[in-house]
Amino acid sequence: MKRMTIRQICFRTAVLAAAAGMLCGCAGTGHPASPTDELSVTVSGTGQTSETGTTILDTKDSTAVPVTNGSTAEETAPRQTETSGTTVPETDAPTGGNDTDKPDDTSADTSKGTSAETSEEKPPVPAKDGFNGICFAVPGAQSRGLDTDRLFDLVGAMNAGAFRNWMHATEILDGPTEVNKKQYERQKKYIAALRERGVTKIVGMSHYWFWPEGYDCSDHGAVPYWSSNPASDFRKWLEVYEQTWYTMASLFPEIGYWEIGNEFNMDSFLHPRNYYSTKTPFTLDEKAQIVTEMCFAASRAIHKANPDATVIFPGMAPEGGFTVMEKFLDLVYCGIESGEYGNGSTDPDDYFDAVAWHCYVFKKFDIEKWVGYNNAVYAVMQKHGEGDKRVFLTEFGFSNGGKQAADAEQGGYLTQIYEACRTRMTYVDSVYPFRLIEDETAASWGGTIEIYYGMFRVFGLSEFGAKEKAKALCRCYGGDVESLDMYIGDNSVYPR
């Protein structure tokens, strides 16, 4: 095998440090390594060695070389929404309805100069308020060929200091301990770009996972039925799940917040094998059992890699109303208190450090009702002695259906929500409106209505125009409204 220095293969020291000092075990074992363990890591697309002697293997090699520790070196499922009094029914999507579920774009990277190469050329941006967030599936925009560097500029112009970042383990990794170099480096660039623009709070979110070797399951949202038997399929799967989270948190120590899933109370995001052929889902109780175990495993893995990280309970969806989220969260807390899960731990802190839910409403918006719905979910936390934990509202928003009048009205709704969260819902840590841009590809899994949740219109690969929703949110965040149309271009016709 040809050996070269790390500079020659353009592979960051960070990943080598992470691989050498943090990753653990062989693919599929699921056992976090102790500081003295030897570990095997495969990084696809290199076949090279670092200056420290750490060997990074190409995927054409069938055997990973041992690396000793101590070396230096939109997603979201379809929703119902109301536009002009019409309720759009939810549809099911085998892919889970995430706009990163698209074939990877093999063209040139559209994030231009946002990594270390250009960071010294830009003046430092003051840290921004971590309460003010936005949702944006960057890999989805990348796969569409959009200019992600310009989109990050718009995040900065809005004065957003928090960002929910889609970081699917099954894209960044090729296996529980196998790093996909291309996707890893892209994520590093995204994170660096956000920090350059003053974003202080990046929430990494993944809701896909691997199965153990030999199970031949390509459905990354499928899970075995819960079992306490150590030899069961579920326990074998859970080991791999825990290993995957350890790898992710080790590779990205700069991520201080991890949301360990998305809308797991919905069938499309958590289901048994062969769900799409049998149409047999888990019951809500079965989901709560599984999610409780997933939280313990993920939290243990993430805190092992990064003790200071905040682990956020997977954002729940109001499918069937907010009362379903209340029931689901209560089931999880009751499961923790029973001592039957998480190796017997009855301490919720061993499962998650904060809670998240998605506060969409599918009827005519009323701020008083909306606040009441959220307070009712928070009351479940208080009931179980968890009122001191912070809440991340990691998705909410409105689709204007391509209608400008609806867009302006919804800008008012977002203003009311922001003011309520700031002044009345004091348990809220941060808010993440869904989503930064319109996405025409979302129509394939969520219908035409799914396109128009975006804050910005997409007129071309590098041309974006602010909707009234974006301007309203920008005013709330104290951003620069006048600069939101800096990339509007010459083809800014709306609707298209």
Side-chain angles (χ1 to χ4, degrees), residues 1 3 16 41 46-50 52-57 65-67:
M1 184 191 309
R3 297 180 182 274
L16 297 173
V41 179
T46 60
Q48 315 298 341
T49 183
S50 77
T52 63
T54 303
T55 301
I56 306 300
L57 295 182
V65 171
V67 181

Side-chain angles (χ1 to χ4, degrees), residues 81-308:
T81 185
E82 181 177 314
T83 303
S84 302
T86 302
T87 299
V88 180
E90 183 175 340
T91 58
D92 195 282
T95 61
N98 187 296
D99 62 0
T100 65
D101 298 332
K102 311 294 184 296
D104 184 42
D105 181 16
T106 57
S107 62
D109 201 320
T110 56
S111 54
K112 302 178 180 66
T114 57
S115 58
E117 310 93 80
T118 60
S119 60
E120 294 182 358
E121 301 173 6
K122 298 180 180 180
V125 175
K128 295 175 179 175
D129 190 342
F131 185 90
N132 305 333
I134 195 74
C135 271
F136 179 30
V138 189
Q142 171 73 45
S143 70
R144 293 159 60 191
L146 302 183
D147 188 332
T148 56
D149 200 49
R150 285 190 167 192
L151 290 169
F152 290 137
D153 284 343
L154 296 177
V155 172
M158 290 186 70
N159 208 37
F163 190 91
R164 186 180 188 234
N165 187 30
W166 271 246
M167 298 178 67
H168 284 319
T170 52
E171 293 180 353
I172 296 169
L173 307 178
D174 293 327
T177 61
E178 298 171 336
V179 182
N180 183 305
K181 175 177 177 285
K182 178 179 179 180
Q183 297 300 333
Y184 165 85
E185 291 188 332
R186 278 183 174 173
Q187 279 290 345
K188 286 288 185 178
K189 291 173 72 174
Y190 301 156
I191 294 166
L194 290 166
R195 288 189 162 187
E196 287 171 4
R197 289 155 177 84
V199 175
T200 58
K201 181 180 294 179
I202 300 175
V203 177
M205 187 279 294
S206 172
H207 60 75
Y208 290 147
W209 44 78
F210 299 101
W211 275 66
E213 293 181 5
Y215 279 83
D216 191 28
C217 182
S218 60
D219 184 348
H220 296 307
V223 179
Y225 279 88
W226 180 88
S227 173
S228 61
N229 184 343
S232 65
D233 289 346
F234 178 75
R235 293 295 156 178
K236 294 175 183 177
W237 173 86
L238 194 63
E239 287 182 350
V240 173
Y241 180 77
E242 183 170 348
Q243 171 67 79
T244 301
W245 272 113
Y246 181 76
T247 304
M248 288 287 289
S250 299
L251 286 172
F252 296 95
E254 68 270 46
I255 297 295
Y257 301 84
W258 289 101
E259 185 181 2
I260 52 176
N262 180 75
E263 300 183 343
F264 286 159
N265 59 311
M266 291 183 62
D267 295 337
S268 55
F269 286 99
L270 186 72
H271 47 260
R273 291 181 71 179
N274 304 318
Y275 163 71
Y276 290 106
S277 60
T278 66
K279 300 301 180 184
T280 301
F282 290 125
T283 66
L284 197 65
D285 293 75
E286 288 171 332
K287 289 176 184 173
Q289 279 187 310
I290 293 167
V291 169
T292 304
E293 295 279 19
M294 291 171 72
C295 286
F296 182 84
S299 180
R300 181 166 65 177
I302 291 168
H303 285 134
K304 184 178 179 67
N306 183 357
D308 296 327

